[in-house]
């Protein structure tokens, strides 16, 4: 027998005052006397007597002591766990899905299933019999061995302390397979103990395992109370799309579709609120109080019947040409058991519309091609206005006033430092170099000799018999895309942020502007910039999914998490992998001064349903290799809580005590 709350056994200390009351208790009989003359001498004798008397067993004392013992055992929540035989091995498999960290409103964090599983494993590790060894496996998206098979109790306790929730739904099958493989040659009596809250749709499949499996539910309560504490309301689907019913002039009108589900016993009233956030970094650092609320709607969600909510709003770009992110939030009078599915961040449809900043006098053919795309917005500016705009935004280099989004097209003169947060296109540069890459002398009538057909920018671009005007050959430091008789005319300057594309020719001259390949080249460039902007730089993913950030080898990558903490990692082989905590919202990533946004959310109904519902799938027999009968999981058991039985026995003992104390002969 094990106890989920062994500290409650301290109630057994009430037996001490109970016994003292019976020791100090004096039984007197009512007598009729003729005179009170002898009372004074009787009082002197009474004062001389010892206050303690020999304990006389009474039925009432036994009943009251039994009530105290049963009450303490019931509060300690015992469960029927089989003791590991001496010399046997045990593998503890702990579910680390998000539901394991959830606890109902008004409950202590110690009542979370993961905390109870941690205490249970620590207790069993401390009570391992002689010669026994144990290991710990964390069941997440993949199985992780936290501790090898060992008899070191301190190592097992340290391994259990490292358990953290981190995935929407755990792969229990993979964890059980790993644990069973580690106990392949274990002595008789060894077993795998799975600690889970059973909150997943898939059955727990133990068929074919050669080691007995014991499935232990680590929920704090049983019956209806447990189901009520696991009630949860969450967003299970969300999307932001252009409003098809809006007029052509209302290009910024959007429809926000939200599906809300409630997993509980009674209907739940919630408010669905959508707001716009133009700068996720400010939303994290300064809070969301300054966000612009777009729309809000009250909805009553019935149990297991998702409700559809459609919110309509206008999402124009801000003064800096930035399209917003949409933040959808659920709110209710009473918080539910899981907060991660109450908030979703979405890229707005406006992020698919690309702002293009023309810095300088762009060639007419380039401006015309860029303007052909209906989802491209052209903004004309120059280096003087950009410098004034950056200086007015404050001293911080990342201030919004000094940043551009979308695509930046430089023509002629160039700044000392290129825009870091957006793809850059340089057309017809006039200086001696392009951001450190030297330029050759002007040459007219250069013929295209070859080009990189497999590059995304040159997809479906044909340059056969194309003549370019005023070509300035690119020096070392640029990856050439188009070669001519005088050198590389078009190339890419790689960097940690979006690349810099250089077209060192005059598009208004020559024959290239009159070919279909000219339009296709700029369309490929626009689509590449649009995809990068729409995703925020890093593809969105589920809560707990690590961030994979492209970065130069050896460079430091940092990320600002939604809770304000900072994560850091070093790039290896061109990619930095940042393990992230299970938080919903934007992660703002910095790579060498370039900012990217990674969205993480929980949009899975199975993860939002915290109620225990998984069943155990097992067979009566399984065969091992070579036709030999393998040990079957006949010891398979779902560990049952025994404290309801102790509570029932307590009520029975209390009833007996009341009956004994109120009997007629006791009057």
């Amino acid at each position: 027998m094990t106890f989920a709350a062994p500290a409650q056994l301290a109630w057994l200390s009430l037996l001490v005052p109970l016994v003292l009351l019976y020791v100090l208790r004096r039984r007197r009989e009512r007598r009729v006397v003729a005179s009170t003359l002898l009372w004074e001498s009787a009082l002197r004798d009474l004062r001389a007597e010892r206050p303690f008397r020999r304990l006389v067993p009474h039925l009432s004392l036994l009943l009251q002591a039994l009530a105290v013992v049963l009450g303490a055992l019931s509060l300690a929540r015992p469960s029927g766990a089989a003791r590991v035989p001496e010399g046997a091995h045990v593998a503890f498999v702990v579910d680390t899905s998000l539901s394991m960290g959830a606890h109902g409103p008004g409950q202590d964090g110690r009542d979370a299933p993961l905390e109870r599983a941690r205490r249970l494993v620590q207790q069993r590790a401390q009570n391992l019999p002689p010669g026994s060894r144990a290991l710990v496996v964390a069941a997440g998206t993949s199985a992780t061995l936290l501790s090898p098979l060992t008899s070191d109790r301190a190592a097992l306790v340290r391994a259990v302390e490292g358990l953290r929730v981190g995935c929407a739904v755990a792969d229990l099958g993979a964890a059980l397979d790993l644990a069973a493989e580690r106990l392949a040659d274990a002595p008789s009596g060894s077993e795998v103990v799975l600690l889970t809250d059973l909150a997943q749709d898939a059955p727990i499949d133990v068929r074919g395992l050669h080691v007995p499996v014991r499935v232990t539910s680590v929920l704090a309560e049983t019956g209806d109370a447990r189901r009520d504490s696991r009630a949860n309301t969450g967003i299970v689907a969300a999307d932001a799309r252009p409003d098809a019913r809006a007029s052509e002039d209302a290009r910024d009108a959007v429809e926000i579709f939200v599906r809300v589900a409630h997993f509980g016993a009674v209907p739940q009233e919630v408010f669905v609120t959508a707001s716009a956030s133009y700068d996720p970094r400010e939303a994290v650092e300064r809070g969301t109080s300054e966000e612009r609320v777009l729309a809000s709607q009250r909805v009553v969600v019935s149990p297991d019947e998702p409700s559809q909510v459609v919110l309509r709003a206008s999402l124009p770009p801000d003064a800096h040409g930035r399209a917003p992110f949409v933040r959808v939030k659920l709110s209710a009078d009473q918080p539910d058991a899981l907060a991660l599915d109450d908030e979703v961040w979405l890229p707005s449809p406006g992020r698919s519309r690309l702002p293009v900043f023309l810095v300088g006098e762009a060639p007419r053919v380039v401006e015309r091609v860029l303007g052909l795309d209906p989802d491209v917005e052209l903004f004309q500016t120059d280096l003087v206005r950009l410098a004034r705009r950056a200086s007015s935004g404050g001293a911080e280099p990342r201030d919004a006033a000094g940043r551009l989004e979308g695509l930046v097209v430089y023509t002629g003169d160039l700044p000392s430092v290129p825009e870091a947060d957006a793809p850059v296109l340089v057309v017809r540069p006039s200086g001696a170099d392009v951001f450190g890459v030297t330029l050759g002398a002007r040459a007219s009538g250069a013929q295209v000799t070859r080009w990189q057909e497999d590059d995304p920018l040159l997809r479906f671009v044909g340059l056969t018999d194309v003549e370019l005007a005023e070509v300035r050959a690119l020096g070392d430091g640029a990856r050439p895309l188009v070669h001519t008789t005088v050198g590389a005319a078009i190339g890419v300057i790689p960097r940690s942020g979006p690349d810099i594309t250089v077209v060192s020719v005059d598009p208004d001259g020559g024959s290239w502007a009159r070919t279909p390949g000219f339009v296709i080249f700029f369309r490929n460039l626009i689509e590449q910039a649009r995809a990068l902007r729409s995703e925020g730089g890093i593809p969105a993913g589920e809560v707990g999914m690590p961030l994979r950030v492209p970065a130069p080898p050896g460079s430091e990558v940092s990320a600002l998490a939604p809770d304000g903490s900072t994560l850091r990692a070093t790039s290896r082989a061109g990619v930095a992998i940042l393990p992230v905590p299970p938080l919903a919202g934007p992660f703002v990533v910095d790579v060498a001064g370039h900012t990217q946004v990674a969205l993480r959310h929980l949009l899975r109904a199975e993860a939002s349903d915290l109620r225990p519902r998984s069943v155990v799938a097992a067979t009566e027999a399984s065969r091992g290799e070579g036709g030999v009968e393998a040990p079957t999981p006949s010891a398979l058991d779902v560990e049952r809580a025994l404290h309801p039985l102790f509570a029932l026995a307590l009520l029975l003992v209390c009833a007996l005590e009341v009956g004994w104390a109120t009997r007629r002969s006791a009057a």
Side-chain angles (χ1 to χ4, degrees), residues 581-599:
L583 298 172
F587 289 81
V588 185
V589 182
D590 285 334
V591 184
H594 171 63
T595 300
Q596 298 174 302
V597 178
L599 301 180

Side-chain angles (χ1 to χ4, degrees), residues 153-378:
R153 294 173 173 81
L156 293 172
V157 171
R158 288 194 302 269
V160 174
E161 290 175 350
L163 287 169
R164 299 289 186 275
V165 295
C167 64
V169 178
D171 188 353
L172 300 182
L176 290 174
D177 290 341
L178 175 61
E181 185 270 333
R182 295 286 175 165
L183 299 185
D185 300 324
S188 177
S190 302
E191 65 176 0
V192 176
V193 178
L194 171 62
L195 299 110
T196 177
D197 59 356
L198 303 174
Q200 62 173 278
D201 295 337
I204 301 174
D205 194 352
V206 298
R207 291 172 293 187
L209 298 181
H210 59 277
V211 181
V213 178
R214 185 177 300 278
V215 182
T216 303
S217 175
V218 288
L219 291 180
E221 301 160 339
T222 59
D224 294 336
R226 178 179 64 183
R227 288 192 292 269
D228 291 342
S229 66
R230 305 291 283 178
N232 181 53
T233 306
I235 302 173
V236 296
D239 192 15
R241 307 174 188 174
D243 192 346
R245 300 185 301 177
S247 61
E248 294 183 0
D249 297 334
R251 298 183 60 198
D252 299 318
V254 297
E255 289 181 319
I256 304 168
F257 298 89
V258 183
R259 179 181 298 172
V260 182
H262 176 62
F263 306 97
V266 296
Q268 177 72 20
E269 179 184 272
V270 297
F271 286 88
V272 183
T273 304
S275 56
S277 178
Y278 288 88
D279 193 335
R281 181 184 294 275
E282 290 185 358
V284 173
E285 294 177 341
R286 305 178 184 177
T288 58
S289 58
E290 299 181 1
E291 291 181 349
R292 181 167 67 91
V293 176
L294 303 174
S296 183
Q297 183 174 329
R298 169 184 170 275
V299 59
V300 178
V301 191
S302 300
D304 300 320
E305 295 181 7
S307 297
Q308 307 287 343
V309 179
V310 180
L311 304 176
R312 292 180 172 84
S314 179
L315 292 176
D318 65 357
H320 309 297
R322 298 176 302 175
F325 288 93
V326 179
R327 176 176 177 262
V328 182
K329 178 72 175 179
L330 289 186
S331 58
D333 293 337
Q334 293 291 336
D336 53 21
L338 185 64
L340 288 175
D341 55 1
D342 295 342
E343 179 178 338
V344 176
W345 285 67
L346 305 168
S348 67
R351 298 190 67 82
S352 64
R353 292 203 301 271
L354 187 69
V356 177
F357 295 87
L358 303 178
V359 185
E361 192 67 30
R364 291 173 300 172
V365 291
V366 173
E367 184 175 354
R368 185 168 61 248
V369 168
L370 295 175
L372 289 176
D373 193 320
D375 288 329
V376 166
E377 296 179 277
L378 297 178

Side-chain angles (χ1 to χ4, degrees), residues 478-529:
R479 177 169 57 86
L481 297 181
V482 177
H483 297 263
T484 67
T485 53
V486 298
I490 300 176
V492 172
I493 302 176
R495 58 174 179 167
S496 58
D499 293 338
I500 301 173
T501 304
V502 182
V503 179
S504 62
V505 303
D506 183 7
D508 287 334
S511 61
W512 185 32
R514 298 190 295 271
T515 65
F518 182 81
V519 178
I520 296 174
F521 172 80
F522 283 93
R523 289 300 297 270
N524 290 341
L525 185 66
I526 289 172
E527 290 302 324
Q528 192 177 78

Side-chain angles (χ1 to χ4, degrees), residues 82-169:
R83 178 177 173 82
V84 179
E86 292 187 5
H89 299 164
V90 59
F92 297 104
V93 178
V94 183
D95 185 356
T96 59
S97 57
L98 295 178
S99 61
M100 290 286 288
H103 56 86
Q107 289 185 339
D108 188 0
R110 290 177 55 84
D111 289 329
L114 184 63
E115 294 299 322
R116 301 187 69 249
R118 181 181 287 113
R119 294 195 298 269
L120 186 59
V121 175
Q122 289 176 343
Q123 179 187 1
R124 294 192 181 180
Q126 294 290 353
N127 297 326
L128 281 177
S132 297
R133 295 192 293 170
L135 61 87
V136 181
V137 176
T141 52
S142 59
T144 303
L145 184 65
L146 298 182
S147 171
L149 200 60
T150 179
S151 59
D152 187 351
R153 294 173 173 81
L156 293 172
V157 171
R158 288 194 302 269
V160 174
E161 290 175 350
L163 287 169
R164 299 289 186 275
V165 295
C167 64
V169 178

Side-chain angles (χ1 to χ4, degrees), residues 3-13 68-69 71-77:
F3 300 95
Q8 299 294 336
L9 294 176
W11 288 101
L12 292 174
S13 60
V68 171
V69 172
L73 292 177
S74 179
L75 291 174
R77 295 197 292 272

